[in-house]
Amino acid sequence: MTWPRIPAGLLAVLVAVGGCTNAPINPPIEHADPTVGYRIQNRENFARHKEDIIVLAFSGGGMRAAAFSYGVLEVLRDIEVIGPKGERQRMLDLVDVITGVSGGSFTALAYGLHGDRLFAEYEQRFLKRNVERELIDRVLNPLNWGSLASPDWGRSELAADLYDEILFEGATFADLQRRPGPMIVASATDLTSGAPFYYTQTMFDILCSDLSAVRLSRAAAASSSVPVVLSPVTIYNYGGTCARKVPWFLTTFQQSEPLPRPAARAIQELKELQYYEDSKQRPFFHLVDGSVADNLGMREILAILDELEALRLAGIDAPLDYARRLAVFVVNATSAPPLDWDQKKSAPGTADILLRANRVPITHYSNDTVETLRDTAARWKLLRAVRDSGAIVDDGNPALREVTRVPNLEVYVINVSFEELDDEKERTFLNEQPTSFYLTADAVDRLRAAARRIVLASPEFRQFLKDSGARIVNVPALPGKAPSPP
């Protein structure tokens, strides 16, 4: 693209005017009230005390992740089930929480905002649009150079404005709070501590700030702010000024002797959160791509399960005691393209090494997170079997508590990843798709179709439906495809 020549004097004026641009400021709150704001406790689905909880975890991976996670939404919309009481519902309407990281955060936030409208518009508004080219054009536009030169406004703020225009329409978390449906949790990474940062009012209570005023586009920009390529998104911190109370169960854990092992992890999480409360020493936080800390958005789910187990071990009623089944769809668009480095004498180039060095820890940590969740599910199931056999009775012996007080929650890990595809050719094609914000229309459609096939073939998904007393009655196909058998 060739830009017209601009006189030096006019260019200087443009830079001077543009340089006055400031990034949005998340406003403070005077008092942290756990009964208000965008948090899971205030969502309708949570208040119903359902026995079955369904979570979708959308990974990072640019447009590849956005399209793959969208395919999961499509197939869950199309699957109709009959519940144990004869009620007929779409699987998508039974989802309670959707977490989103980087590319996955766009699909999660957009569905939370638009609901079913998304299925008519998302392809053209985002998935099949060259968002990457539009971002580059804006960076190269001289009208934006002054703003980009400002220390308070960077490339991610420019990106957030574009995301508002093409997808989020200026909506804030207040708009998301008014919408029915699942809780949406977008996550980024705090650049200083390396810890995950979640866009919920619970997190913003720690900062003594009001999440409802924050634009969804800015959360998506932070979640997908690839270091170096895009600038960090800055959040103002007012921590320690709003009389926030520490959750009661964490105070209980601190007083427990001996401290249950899962509680120890909860205490460590509390210490990490306290890091944010010193606003005098840390008045700002700078957020980058969520995949740096947690590419699957699963750490918070693991932390909740730790807290549930710790409360049970301590003999305390837990917030999720009413639940009997937890289904977690781990929608993992992380790719593992084959390499031929071991077949060549010459070493790979610097660019290849840097890309691989970034991808390897993300891939391995993602796999480790999934296995940790599976280990927890298997351990709880085994302990319940021992407890229910009647071979062990709780006689107050601390050594027996893990068996006798194990949570009654069955955890189903539904792995939706490229490795689940039987078609090696298709698996290779999907693995070769770049982590960028542009894919061909064919690649987008094949990612969506792959997600559909994987979900429908999942034995864990079928087992969850069977155990919950539900039965699939209808699975319409995508346009141009043969119907999938129920």
Side-chain angles (χ1 to χ4, degrees), residues 50 63 106 212 219 281 333 340 344 346 364 374 481:
K50 303 192 310 176
M63 196 65 80
F106 286 85
S212 66
Q281 292 296 320
D340 61 356
K344 298 178 180 179
S346 57
H364 280 265
R374 283 175 169 157
K481 303 289 184 180

Side-chain angles (χ1 to χ4, degrees), residues 26 197 199 204 207 218 233-237 283-285 287:
N26 49 293
F197 183 96
Y199 277 83
F204 272 66
L207 308 183
R218 207 159 180 253
V233 170
T234 300
I235 295 290
Y236 285 67
N237 181 28
F284 306 101
F285 290 103
L287 307 179

Side-chain angles (χ1 to χ4, degrees), residues 128-147:
K128 295 183 178 179
R129 187 174 189 144
N130 195 338
V131 177
E132 187 168 292
R133 179 72 258 175
E134 293 186 49
L135 282 171
I136 293 172
D137 285 348
R138 294 197 176 204
V139 171
L140 295 179
N141 189 336
L143 294 175
N144 294 321
W145 290 353
S147 297

Side-chain angles (χ1 to χ4, degrees), residues 253-275:
F253 292 158
Q254 288 174 314
Q255 299 169 354
S256 298
E257 287 292 342
L259 189 65
R261 183 60 201 156
R265 291 191 287 269
I267 293 296
Q268 179 59 39
E269 183 185 10
L270 173 63
K271 290 179 180 178
E272 291 179 1
L273 295 178
Q274 288 173 335
Y275 165 85

Side-chain angles (χ1 to χ4, degrees), residues 154-171:
R155 295 182 298 280
S156 286
E157 302 298 343
L158 191 74
D161 287 347
L162 173 63
Y163 303 152
D164 258 334
E165 291 177 23
I166 67 177
L167 189 58
F168 296 114
E169 304 171 352

